[in-house]
Structures are given as C-alpha cells and as structure tokens.
Amino acid sequence: MQKKSIDPPANADVEGEPAKPTGLFGAFRALPKDSAPKALLVALIVSVIGGYLVSSSAVLLKPRYLANQEREQQAYLLEIVKRQPGMEGLFEAIEADQVSAQVVDLETGEHLPELDPGEFDQRQAAKDPAQSVAIPANRDLANIKRREKYAKIFQVRTDDELKMIILPVYGRGFTSTLHGYLGLAADGNSVVALSFYEQSETPGLGGRVSDQDWLDLWRGKKVRDPAGNVRIGVARGTVLASSPAAPYEVDAISGATWTSRSVTGLLRFWLGDDGYGPYLENLRSERAGS
C-alpha cells in the first residue's frame, strides 16, 4: 500500500527547521534586533502602555489627593483660628461650632444663602467662564487674569459675636501660584494672621513666604489707612518703626524681590474693590449700625 506524502506547512522550512513566523507579530519578530523600525515600535508600545498606566493611576488617586488637599487646607485654616487671642482654649469648640462658611457675591459683597459652601468649589469657579469674570490688566494686581464671581469665606464667632473673618487669597508669584488664607479681626482692617498653604517658590528665597517667622510679622498690620486707601503690603527693604508705612507693611523677603511684590499685589487685589472690598464694606456698615 502506497503511503501518502504529507506536505509541510507553507510557512515551515525544509528538513525539520522551525516554522517561519507569519503576520504582523511574526514580521516584527523577524526584524533584526538593531533595526530602527523595531526600536521605534518598541518605544511606541512602551509609551502607550506607560501613558495608560499613568492616566489610570491619576484617575484612581484623584479622590485621595483631593481629600488630602482639603485636610491640609483645613489645618491651615484652624491654625489661623488658634492665633486669634483668647481662642486657644476654645479650639475644640471653634472647630465644631464656631467656624462657619458662607458663599458671597464678590461684586456686591452679599451672602448667598442659596449656595451650599460644602459644594462650592472656588478654584473650579475661577476656571469656568460662566462662573468667573476677566480682570482688566491695569487692575490685575494678583496677576490671575480671571476672578471667580463668588467666593467662600469663613467667620469665627463666639457667643454669636463675630471675632474673625478668614478670606482665601491667591495670586501669581515668581515660579508658582500662591494660595493662602488671610485672617482679619472683626473690624475687617486688622490682620490676625496670614498663611500660605500652597506655593512652589524658589527654596531658600521666595519659598520663605511660608516661613512662620516672616508670617508672624503680619499680625496687627492694618489693611487701609484712615482715608480708606488699601496700604497693606511688603516693603522694598526693612520697615523702620518710625516709617509712615510701618502700620501697613512688613519687611521684604531677602533675595526674593519678585515674590515679595507678588504678595503685595495679591493682598491689595483681594482686599480691594475687585476682591473682598464690597464684602468688608458691608461688614463695616453692619457694625456701625449695630
């Protein structure tokens, strides 16, 4: 009986050699190891996979990042509260009962009770054209270009008496955007504390904007002069006690001229008519009428 011959597969070499790879993957494997197309393709595959992993991690970790950021901001907020004279012993009560948040209309300074402070994202509002306004260049002292229409402010009260107002402030520095809180006494004109919780200025220079020794210099400074002009700011050098600017200015940060000017700009912007000025004026009027 004649045996039938079995033809080898079309992609097999003769005399028992392994089959040659076929398809795109086979063509890729067949390329020499030092082939430029092969190297480029490997790089492309690695970058695509790496990008996918990075983007996935960012999405998964974002809630945790936002939660940590919120806790950090709250810690700075409470630190300002503790600096108010007489508040240290009431810290626990203040944390639980006496710090209240409210959203205000920056144009009118009026409280907007229909907006829930817990749901209002001030940073996101500043980026949203529908929730923000463009700032004319000649008035943009904070160098932020757009300003949110509404802001979330905090009040500290004991026995229903207003003790302190805490205002979020921010502005462009030398290498980063400075984000902080400014604590004012109930008169709206005396600084209780200034704190920056987020900044990436040059370490050892502008980065000293977060040094507590320098921040302590702000305590007791006045926002406006008797004529109503916003005078608060950083001096060009050292403030002399006998200087007319002494009630309003603190010493400059040595070697950080740009950052020092930025702090002056952001404070004067947010305490002026384009920032919290209308809100503070409303408070003054309420106090005068009470």
Side-chain angles (χ1 to χ4, degrees):
M1 184 175 181
Q2 187 177 0
K3 292 184 179 180
K4 292 182 179 180
S5 63
I6 301 176
D7 294 330
N11 63 333
D13 289 340
V14 295
E15 298 181 358
E17 292 185 4
K20 294 180 179 179
T22 59
L24 291 176
F25 182 68
F28 170 73
R29 290 186 60 192
L31 290 173
K33 290 184 178 180
D34 57 354
S35 168
K38 189 171 187 177
L40 289 173
L41 188 55
V42 169
L44 178 61
I45 292 172
V46 170
S47 64
V48 169
I49 295 175
Y52 173 76
L53 293 174
V54 170
S55 61
S56 299
S57 298
V59 171
L60 293 173
L61 294 175
K62 186 175 181 179
R64 181 178 298 178
Y65 167 77
L66 293 176
N68 289 339
Q69 188 179 59
E70 182 69 22
R71 281 194 294 271
E72 185 173 329
Q73 291 181 17
Q74 187 68 8
Y76 275 94
L77 183 65
L78 295 174
E79 183 64 29
I80 289 177
V81 173
K82 288 194 294 182
R83 289 178 175 277
Q84 175 73 356
M87 291 291 181
E88 294 83 352
L90 296 173
F91 178 65
E92 292 300 327
I94 288 170
E95 182 179 9
D97 304 315
Q98 293 161 306
V99 178
S100 62
Q102 57 182 231
V103 180
V104 299
D105 185 324
L106 290 174
E107 184 176 357
T108 65
E110 296 177 354
H111 174 211
L112 301 174
E114 67 273 17
L115 293 182
D116 181 358
E119 307 235 345
F120 179 69
D121 188 333
Q122 189 167 338
R123 284 207 198 186
Q124 188 58 41
K127 300 174 184 177
D128 184 351
Q131 300 185 69
S132 62
V133 294
I135 308 167
N138 63 331
R139 300 210 307 263
D140 189 11
L141 303 179
N143 195 23
I144 55 178
K145 296 184 173 55
R146 299 191 69 85
R147 187 264 288 159
E148 55 272 30
K149 294 179 181 179
Y150 313 132
K152 181 164 60 176
I153 62 91
F154 302 84
Q155 292 185 350
V156 179
R157 293 179 177 271
T158 57
D159 298 325
D160 204 31
E161 180 184 356
L162 181 64
K163 294 293 187 180
M164 182 167 53
I165 313 140
I166 302 174
L167 308 173
V169 294
Y170 65 93
R172 185 67 190 172
F174 180 55
T175 59
S176 66
T177 298
L178 310 173
H179 289 271
Y181 288 113
L182 176 67
L184 298 178
D187 64 4
N189 197 49
S190 303
V191 175
V192 174
L194 174 66
S195 182
F196 290 104
Y197 63 84
E198 183 178 322
Q199 56 89 11
S200 299
E201 298 296 278
T202 308
L205 296 173
R208 291 169 54 205
V209 73
S210 295
D211 286 0
Q212 196 57 56
D213 288 345
W214 185 75
L215 292 171
D216 285 343
L217 298 176
W218 290 95
R219 188 185 183 98
K221 295 299 178 181
K222 300 297 182 182
V223 172
R224 295 175 181 265
D225 62 20
N229 301 307
V230 178
R231 295 280 302 279
I232 191 170
V234 182
R236 293 187 177 182
T238 302
V239 181
L240 300 177
S242 59
S243 168
Y248 314 101
E249 297 183 351
V250 304
D251 297 346
I253 301 173
S254 180
T257 302
W258 190 291
T259 302
S260 297
R261 290 177 181 172
S262 298
V263 173
T264 296
L266 73 87
L267 288 176
R268 291 184 178 178
F269 173 82
W270 285 107
L271 293 169
D273 293 339
D274 289 309
Y276 300 109
Y279 167 74
L280 295 173
E281 181 59 34
N282 289 347
L283 280 183
R284 283 190 287 270
S285 297
E286 290 174 9
R287 286 170 59 84
S290 61

